[in-house]
Amino acid sequence: MFISDEVVFVELHKTACTHIDNLMCKILHGKLEGKHNKAYSELFNGKRQFIGSIRNPWDWYVSLWAFGCEKKGGLYKHVTDRSINLTGISIKDGVNAFGLSLLGKLTKKTSEWEASYKDVNDPACFKRWLKLLHDPRRSFDFGEGYGAAPMHNFAGLLTYRYFNLFCSIASDIKPFSKQTSLSELVQYDKENCFIDSFIRNENLESDFLVGLEKAGISITEQHREIIFSSNKTNVSQHDRNTAQFFDEEANRIILNREKFIIEKFGYKSPLS
């Protein structure tokens, strides 16, 4: 998270947030505090603009998987860890959720997850991974509290992380996790999302400028040069033709499970 007197940038995983952080550090006087962490109450002083990052769901899932194929990222480490890792399990989620979470950890199919990360250029591996990730029975495999939230039955990990970062703060015990339908999520977002502007990965430079301008920051030509000439960092290594990783079934998974993100930001399938 980048924090300055004018701006707080809250980072969603795999949305060029390292690149955005670097740009923020070059243009604004501020500091980096943690990574992919939640905002906290002291930051809300009525003066700061909150900026979030987002990405086309189809690209986001391919990027998240490709990062795991490099044996990187918290998700990869969780699902391929053969030990009993209790991260993300809390009795605060309720006795039933706690029991299911513990059972999920004990029955995690690490060999299936490992096989799905075998080849970063193989669409079949990606599709196998995508099905595992969106199988409600495997929702406790990767922590984060996702499995304890009713939304794991109808919404994907991207939607979960969106609500976790942009609609709740560090002192909350995931209040959004009680929502049981898409319509409830939409309403919760309207009432609780504190992000003033989003930087879409696909429109990064222009959205970055809009976010700074909303915060009342004067943009110089030097700033523009920095923004439009800097290369993205921490880029996953995979074929950039996203469409090749999707057949009709995989495409339908994204359409159904990431409907909230798709409709809010107007994203389109690479197959359309």
Side-chain angles (χ1 to χ4, degrees):
M1 182 164 53
F2 176 85
I3 303 170
S4 73
D5 291 339
E6 306 91 347
V7 164
V8 173
F9 171 52
V10 184
E11 315 146 333
L12 179 64
H13 316 63
K14 306 311 296 175
T15 57
C17 50
T18 300
H19 176 60
I20 296 170
D21 277 335
N22 289 340
L23 292 178
M24 292 282 186
C25 289
K26 290 177 181 178
I27 294 173
L28 300 173
H29 295 291
K31 63 178 181 178
L32 291 173
E33 188 176 288
K35 189 74 172 178
H36 307 306
N37 49 327
K38 299 172 72 167
Y40 46 88
S41 57
E42 291 81 2
L43 296 175
F44 294 84
N45 60 7
K47 298 178 182 179
R48 293 186 176 98
Q49 286 275 307
F50 283 76
I51 298 175
S53 52
I54 197 68
R55 187 174 188 175
N56 177 303
W58 287 269
D59 288 335
W60 188 82
Y61 278 104
V62 172
S63 180
L64 184 63
W65 165 75
F67 199 53
C69 288
E70 297 172 32
K71 302 186 185 303
K72 296 178 180 179
L75 177 66
Y76 169 81
K77 292 175 182 177
H78 272 301
V79 299
T80 59
D81 184 3
R82 295 179 181 276
S83 64
I84 304 302
N85 188 327
L86 300 183
T87 301
I89 300 179
S90 174
I91 196 66
K92 293 179 181 178
D93 294 317
V95 175
N96 188 50
F98 180 85
L100 288 173
S101 184
L102 182 58
L103 179 62
K105 295 288 186 180
L106 293 170
T107 60
K108 183 170 54 178
K109 299 182 178 181
T110 53
S111 60
E112 290 188 23
W113 285 108
E114 289 167 349
S116 73
Y117 285 114
K118 186 176 181 180
D119 186 351
V120 73
N121 291 310
D122 186 355
C125 286
F126 169 73
K127 293 167 191 172
R128 187 180 303 123
W129 173 85
L130 190 67
K131 290 179 183 178
L132 280 171
L133 194 69
H134 290 279
D135 182 347
R137 295 170 297 180
R138 306 263 52 89
S139 60
F140 286 106
D141 285 8
F142 40 92
E144 302 186 36
Y146 176 60
M151 73 166 70
H152 81 265
N153 288 304
F154 63 90
L157 183 61
L158 175 55
T159 293
Y160 178 82
R161 287 183 174 179
Y162 170 98
F163 278 90
N164 189 42
L165 288 171
F166 303 145
C167 296
S168 68
I169 62 176
S171 58
D172 294 336
I173 306 177
K174 298 183 175 64
F176 61 89
S177 66
K178 305 302 180 184
Q179 313 311 306
T180 60
S181 69
L182 179 61
S183 61
E184 289 182 7
L185 284 182
V186 171
Q187 186 60 36
Y188 191 88
D189 178 61
K190 289 179 180 178
E191 297 173 355
N192 295 278
C193 180
F194 55 80
I195 300 298
D196 298 296
S197 60
F198 283 94
I199 298 175
R200 294 162 293 171
N201 185 270
E202 308 78 22
N203 201 37
L204 191 151
E205 293 81 8
S206 297
D207 286 350
F208 185 89
L209 286 172
V210 169
L212 296 188
E213 288 168 353
K214 281 187 177 182
I217 297 166
S218 298
I219 305 298
T220 66
E221 285 305 314
Q222 183 180 13
H223 291 157
R224 290 180 180 275
E225 175 65 21
I226 291 172
I227 292 167
F228 285 95
S229 64
S230 299
N231 294 321
K232 291 181 180 179
T233 53
N234 207 25
V235 178
S236 300
Q237 299 301 310
H238 66 84
D239 193 311
R240 290 299 169 191
N241 181 14
T242 299
Q244 74 165 328
F245 290 96
F246 289 91
D247 56 15
E248 184 177 340
E249 181 183 14
N251 186 55
R252 188 165 54 250
I253 289 174
I254 303 300
L255 286 171
N256 292 337
R257 303 277 292 178
E258 295 301 341
K259 191 173 182 179
F260 170 81
I261 299 292
I262 292 167
E263 292 186 351
K264 174 161 185 169
F265 295 97
Y267 283 122
K268 302 294 183 183
S269 163
L271 303 186
S272 61

